[in-house]
């Protein structure tokens, strides 16, 4: 693939980030299981991603965008920074918007998220919430480039993520992430929780 340009998203990039992630996660087993069979993907997922971008990852972390040589966004990675979390007012606002986005799927989403939350590290770390590459750019090194960039930005801090496909797990393992265990073992939508050790003393 032609050289990529990776940059940090700004508020004006929200629509583009949401579009990339919506396209990237269209066949993701965990995402489809979370919204359930009675909800339309195109109605729920873009709204949920917009909330997460605006209320969590932009203000409390970093979003990286990968563009091809034509300037077209082909991938995005959303990281939450160590020790940075919304306060109770911001959390309440985010939860209200997520409730509106998920609708009848809210309880299912919360249940699935709680299972993986139990395996998340309790010490400060960078959290990779989402890494997605649009279909036509998959298999061309975009995900690896985004991950390398994120790891470099994390520096000596540990990093944590949840992998929802065997292909993504293989990529993360090549980049030094270690499986910690799976939530919903034996299910098609099981996520594998993974972390990459850091050098910062805890």
């Amino acid at each position: 693939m032609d050289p990529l340009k990776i940059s940090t998203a700004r508020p004006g990039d929200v629509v583009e980030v949401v579009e990339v992630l919506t396209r990237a996660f269209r066949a993701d087993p965990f995402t489809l299981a979370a919204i359930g069979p009675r909800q339309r993907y195109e109605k729920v997922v873009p709204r949920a991603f917009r909330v997460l971008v605006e209320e969590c990852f932009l203000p409390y972390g970093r979003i990286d965008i990968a563009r091809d040589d034509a300037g077209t966004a082909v991938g995005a990675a959303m990281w939450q920074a160590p020790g940075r979390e919304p306060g109770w007012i911001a959390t309440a606002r985010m939860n209200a918007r997520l409730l509106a986005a998920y609708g009848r799927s809210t309880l299912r989403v919360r249940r699935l998220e709680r299972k993986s939350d139990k395996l998340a590290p309790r010490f400060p770390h960078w959290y990779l919430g989402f890494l997605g590459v649009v279909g036509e750019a998959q298999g061309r090194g975009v995900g690896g480039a985004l991950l390398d960039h994120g790891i470099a930005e994390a520096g000596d801090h540990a990093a944590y993520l949840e992998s929802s496909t065997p292909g993504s797990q293989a990529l993360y393992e090549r980049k030094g992430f270690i499986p910690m265990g799976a939530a919903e073992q034996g299910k098609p939508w099981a996520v594998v929780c993974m972390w990459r050790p850091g050098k910062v003393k805890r």
Side-chain angles (χ1 to χ4, degrees):
M1 187 172 182
D2 292 326
L4 291 170
K5 179 182 178 182
I6 298 178
S7 59
T8 302
R10 301 185 182 279
D13 298 316
V14 168
V15 172
E16 201 168 26
V17 171
V18 170
E19 180 181 358
V20 166
L21 292 176
T22 298
R23 292 170 60 193
F25 281 82
R26 184 63 185 83
D28 180 68
F30 180 85
T31 303
L32 296 177
I35 65 174
R38 297 183 180 181
Q39 295 264 60
R40 289 182 60 246
Y41 181 91
E42 293 76 10
K43 179 180 179 181
V44 176
V45 174
R47 295 177 65 191
F49 271 135
R50 180 154 195 146
V51 175
L52 293 170
V53 169
E54 294 179 337
E55 303 286 355
C56 182
F57 292 98
L58 264 183
Y60 302 103
R62 191 187 72 254
I63 300 176
D64 299 324
I65 306 176
R67 302 181 188 278
D68 61 19
D69 59 346
T72 302
V74 293
M78 302 207 299
W79 296 84
Q80 187 171 358
R84 296 199 63 196
E85 296 182 358
W88 70 270
I89 294 177
T91 298
R93 181 178 62 243
M94 179 171 65
N95 287 340
R97 292 185 64 190
L98 285 173
L99 177 62
Y102 287 126
R104 69 180 68 179
S105 299
T106 300
L107 292 179
R108 182 185 292 106
V109 171
R110 295 299 191 203
R111 181 180 66 80
L112 292 175
E113 287 180 343
R114 279 197 297 269
K115 290 182 178 294
S116 57
D117 286 346
K118 292 179 180 179
L119 294 173
R122 300 306 173 198
F123 51 82
H125 61 276
W126 280 94
Y127 168 54
L128 177 57
F130 298 91
L131 189 157
V133 178
V134 298
E136 61 270 25
Q138 291 179 5
R140 301 182 182 179
V142 178
L146 281 166
L147 196 54
D148 286 340
H149 182 83
I151 290 171
E153 290 292 317
D156 290 337
H157 281 279
Y160 168 78
L161 56 83
E162 295 114 6
S163 170
S164 57
T165 66
S168 62
Q169 181 180 343
L171 169 63
Y172 298 139
E173 288 191 29
R174 289 198 300 272
K175 301 298 183 179
F177 283 83
I178 302 167
M180 301 168 60
E184 294 281 359
Q185 290 188 2
K187 300 291 182 64
W189 57 84
V191 297
V192 176
C193 301
M194 309 179 72
W195 80 298
R196 190 176 191 276
K199 298 178 182 179
V200 176
K201 293 183 178 180
R202 301 191 292 273

